[in-house]
Amino acid sequence: MSEIEEVKDVLPAEVVPSEKDVRALERVESAQSNVLDDLSKGKGISFNDLPIIEVSEEENKRVRRKIDMVLLPLTTIAYTLQYVDRSAMSYAAVFTFRTDVHLTSDQYAWLGSVYYLGYLAFEFPGGWMLQRLPISKTMGVMIIIWGGLLMTMAAPRYFAGMAALRTLLGAAEALVTPGFVLLVSRFYKREEQPLRVGIWYCCNGLGSFIGALVSYGMGHVTVKGVPSWAWIFILNGGVTVLFGFVFLLFCPEHPHTARFLNAHEKRVAIERVRGNKSSLGSKEIKWNQVKEALFPWIDPQGWAYFWIVMCMTIPNGGIANFLHLILQSYGYSAFQTILIGLPQAVLQIIFPLSGAYIARRFPNCRLYVMMAYMLPCLVGVIIQYKTRESGALLFGYYILGSYVASLGICFAAPGANIAGTTKKVVVSAMIFISYAVGNIIGPHLFISTESPPYRSGMFACIICFSAAIPMCFLLRLYYIRENKRRDRLMEARGETYDEAAGDFADRTDVENVDFRYAL
């Protein structure tokens, strides 16, 4: 007998609690669970530890809305600042940056690469930190560090100093996207994740737009002894440092520790993600899950995403670092380049946001969306490679960034299709190692001395995008086959698949026959 029923039995009829009072008591009772204590100690939780409670659609929407109001602003602002800070050098390059820092064209390409060398070197240590340390606090500290590093980039006047700072900047920013993916998987259902990831990933475009306007403004600042490009680093870095403290103060770590939720809402927030069929955050490193992530004959997902992301980030490495120089090669001045590039920044918002919406709106179409959004950029690089007609070049330039929608879906994949905390961390690390390696390679394929400029880079982009599309299709076929195999296994046992049922045991998607892959 529950505490509520006992209260009803002992009270006189005239003082029996009203239905409103009963519901309030039920909410308190539902929140009283040793599970919350276990979670606060960093323990994984199983189905038996956490009794199922009924969550109405109204409660579900209310709690999700409260989570959105805190997490989405924090992640979108952080991701916008990350893109602005990472791209600050490409804006500085249209001014006197390369001359003042005494850079050759090859050294400028290396400044694009060393950022991702730092990113790559810190990926596995960063993955360990994300599993062993509080994610929100770790990321908040890293945001402050990278803002400080960006401000100091105004000082060096030679390649070595600038390269050292770019490497450290890459290491500091390496945790942001993997950390956000893990946070999203803790607070949102699998079907809710692509839209949220798409929202903060479209901030690449917002960052490009804001960065262009800031750079345009800073380009007009004249202070004796300080070049105008240096103010781009100082202003952007200072804003990032201030935001880092805001992030530390407000970002939640787990549903059950979110200060903006009351006791019952915390319990509802946990119950909402039961259907994800994944742990809420075990801190134990499980080597069988590491093996499962790394050995493709056990599970090919990790390596499939590794190569798909590689095919998108080799072009990204060149396009991101040479984006404004590509436009300037059409014959525009520095300030014209910044302003004419603004429509491309707007499309960088539209592409990932629309891709995420379609993936959320229409079930089982994620991989189709990935393939579809690689087609415009493929057309764009073919135009850049084949013609020098100004109108066609500008059109091709504007659609170069459509692949970012596909990349955002790849970044969300570990949260949706990988179960098991350690396995999720390892696969996320594989994806972002691929991201770093591709971005290291990309800048060296874009050669400004070619005629027309950057022809080799555009040809490499054609090859990469053409290879990624069939790989996405093959991955979708694998998911379909695996889901059907699991359906047959359950039918043989006389069971049926229940999408909403699940537990929080730290099992992988391979170990859990009830797990189904999102297509």
PDB file of all heavy atoms in Angstrom, residues 493-507:
ATOM      1  N   ARG A 493      10.771 -15.718 -29.982  1.00  0.00           N
ATOM      2  CA  ARG A 493      10.597 -15.834 -28.530  1.00  0.00           C
ATOM      3  C   ARG A 493       9.175 -15.500 -28.106  1.00  0.00           C
ATOM      4  O   ARG A 493       8.885 -15.462 -26.918  1.00  0.00           O
ATOM      5  CB  ARG A 493      11.563 -14.884 -27.810  1.00  0.00           C
ATOM      6  CG  ARG A 493      13.030 -15.213 -28.055  1.00  0.00           C
ATOM      7  CD  ARG A 493      13.956 -14.425 -27.164  1.00  0.00           C
ATOM      8  NE  ARG A 493      13.636 -13.006 -27.094  1.00  0.00           N
ATOM      9  CZ  ARG A 493      14.501 -12.075 -26.681  1.00  0.00           C
ATOM     10  NH1 ARG A 493      15.721 -12.440 -26.309  1.00  0.00           N
ATOM     11  NH2 ARG A 493      14.156 -10.818 -26.628  1.00  0.00           N
ATOM     12  N   GLY A 494       8.320 -15.200 -29.089  1.00  0.00           N
ATOM     13  CA  GLY A 494       6.933 -14.858 -28.774  1.00  0.00           C
ATOM     14  C   GLY A 494       6.776 -13.474 -28.193  1.00  0.00           C
ATOM     15  O   GLY A 494       5.816 -13.205 -27.474  1.00  0.00           O
ATOM     16  N   GLU A 495       7.700 -12.569 -28.504  1.00  0.00           N
ATOM     17  CA  GLU A 495       7.653 -11.204 -27.977  1.00  0.00           C
ATOM     18  C   GLU A 495       7.418 -10.223 -29.121  1.00  0.00           C
ATOM     19  O   GLU A 495       7.631 -10.541 -30.292  1.00  0.00           O
ATOM     20  CB  GLU A 495       8.973 -10.859 -27.257  1.00  0.00           C
ATOM     21  CG  GLU A 495       9.287 -11.784 -26.083  1.00  0.00           C
ATOM     22  CD  GLU A 495      10.663 -11.498 -25.500  1.00  0.00           C
ATOM     23  OE1 GLU A 495      11.369 -10.619 -26.057  1.00  0.00           O
ATOM     24  OE2 GLU A 495      11.042 -12.147 -24.513  1.00  0.00           O
ATOM     25  N   THR A 496       6.984  -9.029 -28.768  1.00  0.00           N
ATOM     26  CA  THR A 496       6.813  -7.959 -29.746  1.00  0.00           C
ATOM     27  C   THR A 496       7.626  -6.745 -29.307  1.00  0.00           C
ATOM     28  O   THR A 496       7.814  -6.511 -28.109  1.00  0.00           O
ATOM     29  CB  THR A 496       5.328  -7.560 -29.894  1.00  0.00           C
ATOM     30  OG1 THR A 496       4.815  -7.177 -28.616  1.00  0.00           O
ATOM     31  CG2 THR A 496       4.524  -8.714 -30.467  1.00  0.00           C
ATOM     32  N   TYR A 497       8.065  -5.969 -30.278  1.00  0.00           N
ATOM     33  CA  TYR A 497       8.880  -4.791 -29.997  1.00  0.00           C
ATOM     34  C   TYR A 497       8.016  -3.650 -29.482  1.00  0.00           C
ATOM     35  O   TYR A 497       6.990  -3.308 -30.072  1.00  0.00           O
ATOM     36  CB  TYR A 497       9.618  -4.351 -31.264  1.00  0.00           C
ATOM     37  CG  TYR A 497      10.355  -3.045 -31.128  1.00  0.00           C
ATOM     38  CD1 TYR A 497      11.405  -2.899 -30.217  1.00  0.00           C
ATOM     39  CD2 TYR A 497       9.997  -1.942 -31.904  1.00  0.00           C
ATOM     40  CE1 TYR A 497      12.080  -1.701 -30.096  1.00  0.00           C
ATOM     41  CE2 TYR A 497      10.670  -0.734 -31.791  1.00  0.00           C
ATOM     42  CZ  TYR A 497      11.707  -0.624 -30.881  1.00  0.00           C
ATOM     43  OH  TYR A 497      12.389   0.565 -30.756  1.00  0.00           O
ATOM     44  N   ASP A 498       8.421  -3.060 -28.364  1.00  0.00           N
ATOM     45  CA  ASP A 498       7.730  -1.909 -27.785  1.00  0.00           C
ATOM     46  C   ASP A 498       8.715  -0.745 -27.782  1.00  0.00           C
ATOM     47  O   ASP A 498       9.697  -0.750 -27.046  1.00  0.00           O
ATOM     48  CB  ASP A 498       7.265  -2.221 -26.368  1.00  0.00           C
ATOM     49  CG  ASP A 498       6.463  -1.077 -25.751  1.00  0.00           C
ATOM     50  OD1 ASP A 498       6.394   0.006 -26.373  1.00  0.00           O
ATOM     51  OD2 ASP A 498       5.912  -1.263 -24.649  1.00  0.00           O
ATOM     52  N   GLU A 499       8.440   0.240 -28.627  1.00  0.00           N
ATOM     53  CA  GLU A 499       9.368   1.364 -28.789  1.00  0.00           C
ATOM     54  C   GLU A 499       9.549   2.154 -27.507  1.00  0.00           C
ATOM     55  O   GLU A 499      10.631   2.653 -27.214  1.00  0.00           O
ATOM     56  CB  GLU A 499       8.866   2.290 -29.901  1.00  0.00           C
ATOM     57  CG  GLU A 499       9.815   3.418 -30.226  1.00  0.00           C
ATOM     58  CD  GLU A 499       9.325   4.271 -31.370  1.00  0.00           C
ATOM     59  OE1 GLU A 499       8.227   3.990 -31.902  1.00  0.00           O
ATOM     60  OE2 GLU A 499      10.042   5.221 -31.740  1.00  0.00           O
ATOM     61  N   ALA A 500       8.489   2.269 -26.711  1.00  0.00           N
ATOM     62  CA  ALA A 500       8.545   3.099 -25.496  1.00  0.00           C
ATOM     63  C   ALA A 500       9.190   2.373 -24.316  1.00  0.00           C
ATOM     64  O   ALA A 500       9.672   3.005 -23.386  1.00  0.00           O
ATOM     65  CB  ALA A 500       7.151   3.551 -25.106  1.00  0.00           C
ATOM     66  N   ALA A 501       9.171   1.029 -24.363  1.00  0.00           N
ATOM     67  CA  ALA A 501       9.724   0.267 -23.236  1.00  0.00           C
ATOM     68  C   ALA A 501      11.241   0.323 -23.267  1.00  0.00           C
ATOM     69  O   ALA A 501      11.857   0.513 -24.306  1.00  0.00           O
ATOM     70  CB  ALA A 501       9.256  -1.176 -23.307  1.00  0.00           C
ATOM     71  N   GLY A 502      11.836   0.153 -22.101  1.00  0.00           N
ATOM     72  CA  GLY A 502      13.291   0.146 -22.046  1.00  0.00           C
ATOM     73  C   GLY A 502      13.783   0.212 -20.631  1.00  0.00           C
ATOM     74  O   GLY A 502      13.010   0.234 -19.674  1.00  0.00           O
ATOM     75  N   ASP A 503      15.087   0.237 -20.475  1.00  0.00           N
ATOM     76  CA  ASP A 503      15.677   0.387 -19.155  1.00  0.00           C
ATOM     77  C   ASP A 503      16.916   1.253 -19.280  1.00  0.00           C
ATOM     78  O   ASP A 503      17.277   1.700 -20.361  1.00  0.00           O
ATOM     79  CB  ASP A 503      15.998  -0.966 -18.531  1.00  0.00           C
ATOM     80  CG  ASP A 503      16.969  -1.774 -19.367  1.00  0.00           C
ATOM     81  OD1 ASP A 503      18.047  -1.236 -19.690  1.00  0.00           O
ATOM     82  OD2 ASP A 503      16.665  -2.934 -19.706  1.00  0.00           O
ATOM     83  N   PHE A 504      17.557   1.508 -18.153  1.00  0.00           N
ATOM     84  CA  PHE A 504      18.721   2.371 -18.131  1.00  0.00           C
ATOM     85  C   PHE A 504      20.004   1.588 -17.853  1.00  0.00           C
ATOM     86  O   PHE A 504      21.007   2.151 -17.425  1.00  0.00           O
ATOM     87  CB  PHE A 504      18.539   3.468 -17.072  1.00  0.00           C
ATOM     88  CG  PHE A 504      17.367   4.362 -17.357  1.00  0.00           C
ATOM     89  CD1 PHE A 504      16.165   4.198 -16.679  1.00  0.00           C
ATOM     90  CD2 PHE A 504      17.449   5.351 -18.315  1.00  0.00           C
ATOM     91  CE1 PHE A 504      15.089   5.024 -16.942  1.00  0.00           C
ATOM     92  CE2 PHE A 504      16.370   6.190 -18.579  1.00  0.00           C
ATOM     93  CZ  PHE A 504      15.195   6.019 -17.887  1.00  0.00           C
ATOM     94  N   ALA A 505      19.957   0.273 -18.093  1.00  0.00           N
ATOM     95  CA  ALA A 505      21.155  -0.540 -17.903  1.00  0.00           C
ATOM     96  C   ALA A 505      22.213  -0.123 -18.920  1.00  0.00           C
ATOM     97  O   ALA A 505      21.898   0.283 -20.040  1.00  0.00           O
ATOM     98  CB  ALA A 505      20.817  -2.020 -18.067  1.00  0.00           C
ATOM     99  N   ASP A 506      23.476  -0.221 -18.531  1.00  0.00           N
ATOM    100  CA  ASP A 506      24.574   0.208 -19.405  1.00  0.00           C
ATOM    101  C   ASP A 506      24.924  -0.908 -20.391  1.00  0.00           C
ATOM    102  O   ASP A 506      26.024  -1.455 -20.379  1.00  0.00           O
ATOM    103  CB  ASP A 506      25.787   0.610 -18.563  1.00  0.00           C
ATOM    104  CG  ASP A 506      26.827   1.367 -19.385  1.00  0.00           C
ATOM    105  OD1 ASP A 506      26.448   1.980 -20.400  1.00  0.00           O
ATOM    106  OD2 ASP A 506      28.007   1.335 -19.007  1.00  0.00           O
ATOM    107  N   ARG A 507      23.942  -1.247 -21.250  1.00  0.00           N
ATOM    108  CA  ARG A 507      24.159  -2.248 -22.295  1.00  0.00           C
ATOM    109  C   ARG A 507      24.315  -1.553 -23.640  1.00  0.00           C
ATOM    110  O   ARG A 507      23.776  -0.476 -23.858  1.00  0.00           O
ATOM    111  CB  ARG A 507      22.977  -3.218 -22.364  1.00  0.00           C
ATOM    112  CG  ARG A 507      22.815  -4.109 -21.150  1.00  0.00           C
ATOM    113  CD  ARG A 507      21.699  -5.120 -21.381  1.00  0.00           C
ATOM    114  NE  ARG A 507      20.396  -4.467 -21.469  1.00  0.00           N
ATOM    115  CZ  ARG A 507      19.285  -5.078 -21.882  1.00  0.00           C
ATOM    116  NH1 ARG A 507      19.339  -6.348 -22.275  1.00  0.00           N
ATOM    117  NH2 ARG A 507      18.137  -4.438 -21.915  1.00  0.00           N
TER     118      ARG A 507
END
